[in-house]
Each structure stands twice: as structure tokens, then as C-alpha cells.
Amino acid sequence: MIAVRGYEGRRVGVLGMGRSGLATARALAAGQATPVCWDDGEAGRAAAEAEGFAVEDLAREGPWRKGMGLLVVSPGVPHLYPAPHPAVAQAQAAGAQLDNDVGLFFRGMAMTDAEARVVAVTGSNGKSTTTALIAHILRGAGRPVQMGGNIGRGVLDLDPLADGETVVLELSSYQLELARALAPDVAVFLNLSPDHLDRHGGEGGYFAAKRRLFELGAPSACVIGVDDRHGRFLAAQSREADPEGARLIEIASGARLRGPGWSVFMNRAFLTERRRGEQAAALDLRACPGLIGAHNHQNACAAYGAARVLGLGPKAIEAGLRSFPGLPHRLQLLGERNGVRFVNDSKATNADAAEKALLSFERVRWIAGGVPKEGGIAPLAPLFGRVAKAYLIGQAAQDFAAALGATPHELCGDLATAVARAATEAEPGDVVLLSPACASFDQFRDFEARGEAFAALAQAVVAEPDGGQTDGEEGPR
């Protein structure tokens, strides 16, 4: 745990008692502050009380009359759009400041003597894989490393920082938009696609939250994906502050970069580094089974760039790329039966993420649906030719069926039915792909629970004895 200093003997409000909220309360208490906790849910309040923390309704005026000057807001709690939480409104009316655990983490870094470095990764898609890949590469090269933020451990639940250590953080827009301090050594921006627009008041607000990592933090080095217009804009701004090209690495999976600066991009199957107009390295990503698909190629370019500015050489990075096993629920190969592969991409909760999955395979038995996101799957129409058949589940099934039009599809209702139908109809060379382009909350707790359910169903199919073949005769399919 990282103790939060600077609030000794003071009451500090903590709103939201999920993973980050409880970790924040513990960190404040370790720094001799008195956390005053609140959660709208009874279970969250009970969790705080079980650890001995004071619980008061922060949406009422009473707690703020006692001189609290800070409210630490958990990422899932809105502070502006679509409307401020009542506790946030009370805190602002009392003149209190707002912050979150990420802001407290970076403020605490300024108070420590440890010579540690921080890499912060943001973007719409690929954050978790890139964060885990950077940590994996560093660990494989013998560097001490911790990983946390929006993946693994909360930022204040990490161990106290040590000399020579690197902390790799995945940071979402929710975490970035409210942090009062952001000071990474290396900031990574991958991409931006429409998501969480109600929370940020539109796409501009969403991008503004991401940009704070580069504007407020003034990182020593920037690794920026330029495959979309938001990244190109951000890179252009960063380039103005870096005329020598020493602190900006531009990355791309969909274009060969030929500028005079520092770049990492895909040249067919080869990750290529260029610096000062010359090629510096080229790595064959076909030897990296945990990094399937163009979007994972972008993740690999980003991780390579971050590792380079941290001082690693190409050979050490290549070893890490080759040994990376991938993350669950992100184009995770579960197994193969009779030439049919089963791939779990449950993390694909919007059309942009599902596009990356569809682009990774030639012939797909596509399981899609759930709670739809704005825009549905209409943007994926150019890829419907890759879909041998779609198996639709959840709330979005009827709308997705309309969008698919003449593309073969079937309303399956639930995941078990979809897997059974896809497995029965799949032919050698097909990929049975769960890439829902939807949130999971209509039928599952979260995308992880959905992916675990799919994995269990798919692995049961893969494990069927003799692949359905008996004495040369075709068995049931």
C-alpha cells in the first residue's frame, strides 16, 4: 500500500467503496488521515464499516460542516456529466476540492525520495494489453516492475515505490478526467473511438480527458498512435514541444511512417523502428502468438516504443514480445477442433474493438450482442463478407439482425445456444469468435464473466472425444 501523506489529522471524504475506493481509504488512514466513506449501495457501506472506517452520507450537508476540504471520487461516480453525484455537489458547495486515487498517487510521488519511473497508458482500445505487455517486457529484461491502475491492483494498493522500479499504469478517461496531478515519465496514447460519451458530454470531452495525460503531466517522453485523427492531432502538438525528435515516438499499425523523427510502425508482418530517417530495427511479429491481429500490432508498437525510451534494446524487447501469452478475453485462442478455432474476444464491447477482431480472421462464425453501444454494428458493414454466419444474443440481437441484412445470421438468445449452433455449423478453417460489440450487463456481471462462460463452453466442445469421428464415419456435428 502507498500511504497518502499531506492530510494528517484531517477528515477526507471518499465516495464509492469499490476496489479503488477501499484502497484509497486504507491509504489515507495509513497516512494518518481520517477517511469518511460513502457508497450508494448497502454492500459498499458495509465493506467500509467492516474495515473500521467512518461511514457518513456525503450527499448531506452535515459531514461538510465539519471542515472536510477534499472529496476523493471513485472512477465510476459522475462529477459533471450526465449530472454531478449529489455528494459531489455538496462538496463543491462547501468549497472542497475534488480528486481521485490517481491524483493522490502522483501527488505522493512528488513527496517520495524513491527514484522510480511511471509509464501511463491510455486510449479507447488496447490499454490493458499494452500495459501488460510493457510490464512483461520489462520483467523479462530483469527490470523491477509493478502494474496497476485500471488493470490488476489499484494505484494506491501498489507496494511503496523503490529505487530503479518502473510502475506501468493503465488509465481510463474516468481516471484521468478528475486527477489533480498527472506526472508520468512516459505517456502512451493508443487510439480513440466513441465510448462513454454520456459521461464526458460528447466525443470532445472524451478526448479532452485523454489529453490531460499529456498536457497536465508534461511527460518526459510520449508514445502516440497516429492511425486516427485524434492521435495525429496530439502528436502534432507534442512535436511542437520536441523539435529535436527526442521525446516523441509516433506509432502506427496501418501506415508506414516516413517522417524524420522517431517512429515505430508495421511494415507487413514486421514491426519496424525508424529514427532520424534510417531503419533502426525490424522484428517479425509472426513469431508472437500472443499478438494476433492489427490492433495487437498497434499494441506491440506502443509497448516497443515505451520500452525503447526506458532504455531497452531491440533484442530484449523482441524476447518479451515472443513470450507474451496475451490477456484473457482479448483475442484469446481457447483451442481448436477439426480445424475450427475458438477465440474469446469478450473485451470487445464496442464496434471499433470488434472491427479489430473481424479484421484478424478470414472466415468467422461471429457471436455478437448484449447491451448495445451507440451506433451499433452498422460501421462494420464492410467486414460482413468475412462473416460466414452471425449468432446473435442479448438485447441487441434484433437490431444487429437488421444491420446484418442479407449476411447469414440467427437469433440465438443466449451464449450457450450461440456456441452450440456455431460449433455444429463450423467448417475447417472457420473461427468461432466471441466479439460482442456490446456491453455484457443484460446477461452477465461483466465482460470477464461473459468471456469465462464462453471459454467453458468452447473448451467443452474442443475436449469432445475424437472430434466426432468414429471408424472413418462422420459422427454427429
Side-chain angles (χ1 to χ4, degrees):
M1 177 197 311
I2 296 175
V4 174
R5 306 293 180 189
Y7 300 95
E8 291 81 354
R10 297 160 60 182
R11 287 162 50 92
V12 177
V14 182
L15 180 59
M17 288 292 106
R19 182 190 62 158
S20 67
L22 283 171
T24 297
R26 297 183 196 115
L28 285 163
Q32 306 305 309
T34 300
V36 180
C37 303
W38 182 252
D39 193 288
D40 291 339
E42 184 177 346
R45 298 194 296 270
E49 288 177 335
E51 296 201 27
F53 299 129
V55 174
E56 299 181 29
D57 188 351
L58 299 177
R60 298 181 180 274
E61 186 179 359
W64 300 101
R65 291 177 181 169
K66 302 175 184 178
M68 285 195 302
L70 175 68
L71 177 63
V72 184
V73 183
S74 295
V77 179
H79 67 276
L80 184 57
Y81 298 109
H85 187 281
V88 171
Q90 282 287 359
Q92 291 177 320
Q97 294 178 327
L98 302 180
D99 207 343
N100 62 15
D101 60 335
V102 172
L104 293 178
F105 170 83
F106 281 110
R107 286 166 65 86
M109 281 202 67
M111 302 180 188
T112 181
D113 294 328
E115 293 292 333
R117 290 192 283 185
V118 177
V119 180
V121 179
T122 196
S124 294
N125 299 302
K127 297 186 299 295
S128 295
T129 296
T130 301
T131 301
L133 181 54
I134 293 169
H136 176 81
I137 291 169
L138 293 172
R139 202 173 287 119
R143 299 279 187 94
V145 62
Q146 293 192 72
M147 181 180 74
N150 203 43
I151 182 176
R153 302 163 70 181
V155 291
L156 295 177
D157 195 39
L158 296 171
D159 297 332
L161 304 185
D163 285 343
E165 186 173 52
T166 302
V167 178
V168 188
L169 301 177
E170 176 192 342
L171 298 180
S172 71
S173 57
Y174 289 10
Q175 293 169 305
L176 291 170
E177 66 177 346
L178 196 58
R180 292 177 58 230
L182 292 167
D185 296 276
V186 183
V188 179
F189 175 87
L190 297 170
N191 49 58
L192 192 129
S193 60
D195 208 356
H196 311 303
L197 300 190
D198 58 337
R199 170 65 179 263
H200 297 293
E203 188 172 1
Y206 180 43
F207 182 43
K210 303 287 189 185
R211 285 174 60 187
R212 293 187 81 241
L213 184 62
F214 298 82
E215 296 172 340
L216 181 61
S220 301
C222 304
V223 179
I224 299 177
V226 295
D227 283 314
D228 65 48
R229 59 191 174 96
H230 300 92
R232 289 190 290 272
F233 178 84
L234 190 59
Q237 287 194 316
S238 299
R239 196 180 304 115
E240 291 176 6
D242 182 32
E244 300 298 322
R247 59 180 295 271
L248 169 64
I249 300 181
E250 297 183 39
I251 63 166
S253 62
R256 301 179 187 180
L257 304 180
R258 289 290 186 263
W262 198 354
S263 60
V264 180
F265 58 93
M266 292 303 300
N267 183 357
R268 297 181 181 175
F270 288 85
L271 183 154
T272 304
E273 177 188 3
R274 284 179 63 88
R275 196 168 187 181
R276 300 185 183 93
E278 296 183 358
Q279 181 171 304
L283 312 178
D284 189 349
L285 290 193
R286 290 173 296 186
C288 305
L291 297 167
I292 299 171
H295 69 301
N296 270 326
H297 292 170
Q298 185 191 51
N299 299 337
C301 289
Y304 180 98
R308 288 291 279 142
V309 299
L310 290 170
L312 267 63
K315 289 190 178 298
I317 300 173
E318 181 178 23
L321 294 174
R322 290 190 174 205
S323 62
F324 182 62
L327 290 183
H329 318 302
R330 297 155 177 89
L331 281 186
Q332 176 190 15
L333 178 61
L334 299 171
E336 183 175 334
R337 175 174 178 261
N338 290 349
V340 176
R341 289 176 288 169
F342 293 80
V343 176
N344 171 20
D345 195 42
S346 182
K347 184 63 169 64
T349 59
N350 57 40
D352 186 67
E355 177 187 37
K356 306 300 191 299
L358 292 174
L359 283 168
S360 300
F361 307 104
E362 294 297 325
R363 183 177 163 88
V364 176
R365 302 277 171 176
W366 183 24
I367 300 175
V371 181
K373 295 288 183 74
E374 185 175 348
I377 57 170
L380 303 180
L383 300 178
F384 289 169
R386 294 172 178 257
V387 178
K389 185 174 179 180
Y391 304 82
L392 305 176
I393 64 175
Q395 293 179 9
Q398 293 285 355
D399 289 343
F400 280 16
L404 284 162
T407 302
H409 59 271
E410 180 177 342
L411 300 177
C412 294
D414 60 64
L415 185 60
T417 302
V419 172
R421 294 291 298 150
T424 298
E425 297 179 352
E427 302 173 359
D430 287 355
V431 173
V432 176
L433 170 70
L434 172 67
S435 190
C438 284
S440 60
F441 305 123
D442 53 346
Q443 296 183 348
F444 297 95
R445 179 187 71 250
D446 50 31
F447 77 86
E448 293 168 322
R450 176 173 61 191
E452 289 163 1
F454 175 71
L457 293 164
Q459 287 164 349
V461 173
V462 170
E464 288 181 9
D466 67 32
Q469 299 292 325
T470 306
D471 296 329
E473 298 180 0
E474 181 174 343
R477 299 184 65 191

